[in-house]
Amino acid sequence: MLRISVEEFSIWKKKQLSKGGDQQSFAVLLDCIGGISTSDLQLISINPEGNLHLKQDLEFLESIWNEHLLKSCPIQYLCGITFWRDLKLKVSNKVLIPRPETELIIDIVCNLFKKKSDKLIFAELGTGSGAISIALALAYPFSEGVATDIDQDALEIATKNYLNSSKQSNLKFYCGNWWSPLESFKGKLDLAISNPPYIPKDTYEKLPKEVKNFEPKVALFGGEDGLKHIREIIQKAPLFLKEKGWLILENHFDQGETVKQLLIKNKFTSIEIVNDLSGIGRFTIGKI
Ligand code: GLN
């Protein structure tokens, strides 16, 4: 631990932020590498005369910040860590950095399945870092969850994240494309969830470089109209869900109505487009 005065730290922090970047990314750097959490930062403003304890020196932190600004590489990849809900998750460029708007998926599930003691059987298709499945496995300790991904490297990260976040053993990981690793769950799922790649071709080409140059295309690109994977997931979902089982999908800001029509076509009922915190129809849900 390195001791540094709040005054010196504040001057340094101001200098770093004046070079560019945003407060949130800087907070991730300070927390993950510097060992200074957001609540530590709040204490600083109350006690400007005091001292701080850093895990790494300012020079090292500055070198990472400079690399982030120079290459537009997401700070989460440079730190190898991100925060999502109450989880601290490992990330690498093999997995999408879980987005804050996706956090709401857990609240949607909690609204549908009110009893935390429920013995839910759930599957997540395309788990990436494992964020959604891990949060669900923790929220429903008696559930049995399966999380799939087409990429073995992603599954290794997800498995590590599960082991780091939990002492439970109610979540398993399988490698494969969408429903294909889930043959043995046919007709058994209470719930299936996916935040699949849904970015349409034109939009993908124009994504900001911090996304396009660093995050895995396989986790973002949804074909010509963005709906290639969503279509496949919806079409096969009725085979895997049990009667009254729910499908919850995340979609692009303007896909809600089309996804709703796809669900209707595939005999889903109780269909709803759920807004994210910015008022965007980000999730579409239906019951079979
Ligand atoms: N929400 C992500 C983004 O805007 C996309 C995630 C996805 O395709 N599933 O970058």
Side-chain angles (χ1 to χ4, degrees):
M1 283 285 184
L2 301 154
R3 206 160 82 138
I4 170 178
S5 74
V6 166
E7 194 188 354
E8 190 188 343
F9 176 78
S10 301
I11 294 168
W12 173 84
K13 181 174 170 234
K14 209 168 158 192
K15 182 179 153 210
Q16 301 315 312
L17 283 166
S18 73
K19 295 192 240 171
D22 59 78
Q23 290 270 2
Q24 259 169 325
S25 299
F26 198 67
V28 171
L29 171 73
L30 289 182
D31 197 338
C32 296
I33 310 291
I36 305 282
S37 68
T38 315
S39 48
D40 293 332
L41 288 178
Q42 276 155 3
L43 285 177
I44 289 176
S45 54
I46 302 168
N47 183 17
E49 317 276 273
N51 288 304
L52 269 173
H53 293 90
L54 286 170
K55 280 205 296 203
Q56 297 284 347
D57 63 31
L58 295 182
E59 241 169 78
F60 183 68
L61 293 173
E62 182 162 359
S63 70
I64 300 178
W65 189 243
N66 287 343
E67 193 179 343
H68 163 65
L69 296 178
L70 192 72
K71 299 186 184 152
S72 302
C73 180
I75 196 77
Q76 292 90 339
Y77 287 153
L78 292 171
C79 298
I81 283 170
T82 197
F83 297 98
W84 193 83
R85 288 187 73 99
D86 52 354
L87 299 170
K88 189 172 181 176
L89 301 166
K90 270 181 195 297
V91 286
S92 80
N93 61 1
K94 298 289 177 191
V95 299
L96 189 87
I97 299 163
R99 305 288 198 262
E101 58 269 27
T102 306
E103 293 184 358
L104 219 62
I105 279 198
I106 308 302
D107 300 300
I108 295 174
V109 176
C110 291
N111 269 329
L112 295 176
F113 299 92
K114 296 228 164 30
K115 275 203 271 140
K116 291 298 179 306
S117 55
D118 269 353
K119 290 181 178 153
L120 288 181
I121 303 186
F122 75 84
E124 188 202 356
L125 283 67
T127 193
S129 64
I132 296 172
S133 289
I134 295 168
L136 284 180
L138 290 172
Y140 295 89
F142 302 102
S143 65
E144 185 191 331
V146 274
T148 73
D149 205 282
I150 196 158
D151 186 68
Q152 188 59 47
D153 292 334
L155 281 181
E156 271 167 35
I157 291 173
T159 308
K160 276 190 199 148
N161 281 330
Y162 180 52
L163 294 173
N164 288 343
S165 319
S166 158
K167 289 191 173 59
Q168 294 170 202
S169 56
N170 58 336
L171 180 61
K172 295 199 167 54
F173 297 91
Y174 293 113
C175 192
N177 191 38
W178 305 132
W179 298 103
S180 58
L182 297 173
E183 277 299 304
S184 62
F185 286 88
K186 272 192 173 152
K188 292 191 184 158
L189 298 175
D190 296 291
L191 168 69
I193 311 145
S194 187
N195 171 18
Y198 53 64
I199 307 283
K201 189 165 183 287
D202 290 353
T203 314
Y204 182 80
E205 298 308 332
K206 291 184 221 133
L207 282 177
K209 60 176 182 280
E210 55 269 31
V211 179
K212 189 162 177 242
N213 292 354
F214 296 95
E215 300 207 68
K217 185 173 181 182
V218 68
L220 289 162
F221 182 59
E224 195 65 37
D225 65 353
L227 293 162
K228 180 175 187 274
H229 304 291
I230 288 186
R231 245 180 240 112
E232 185 176 339
I233 292 170
I234 292 179
Q235 276 162 8
K236 295 198 185 136
L239 286 173
F240 292 85
L241 291 169
K242 65 162 106 101
E243 210 190 318
K244 299 200 176 126
W246 285 91
L247 177 64
I248 300 179
L249 293 169
E250 183 176 315
N251 49 253
H252 206 28
F253 72 96
D254 57 355
Q255 291 169 339
E257 201 45 52
T258 320
V259 176
K260 183 176 170 180
Q261 293 309 319
L262 285 167
L263 288 170
I264 293 172
K265 214 169 114 189
N266 287 277
K267 315 256 180 318
F268 279 84
T269 60
S270 311
I271 301 163
E272 226 183 291
I273 300 171
V274 182
N275 284 356
D276 65 15
L277 297 177
S278 321
I280 289 168
R282 176 70 61 192
F283 313 96
T284 311
I285 70 173
K287 190 164 73 170
I288 200 72

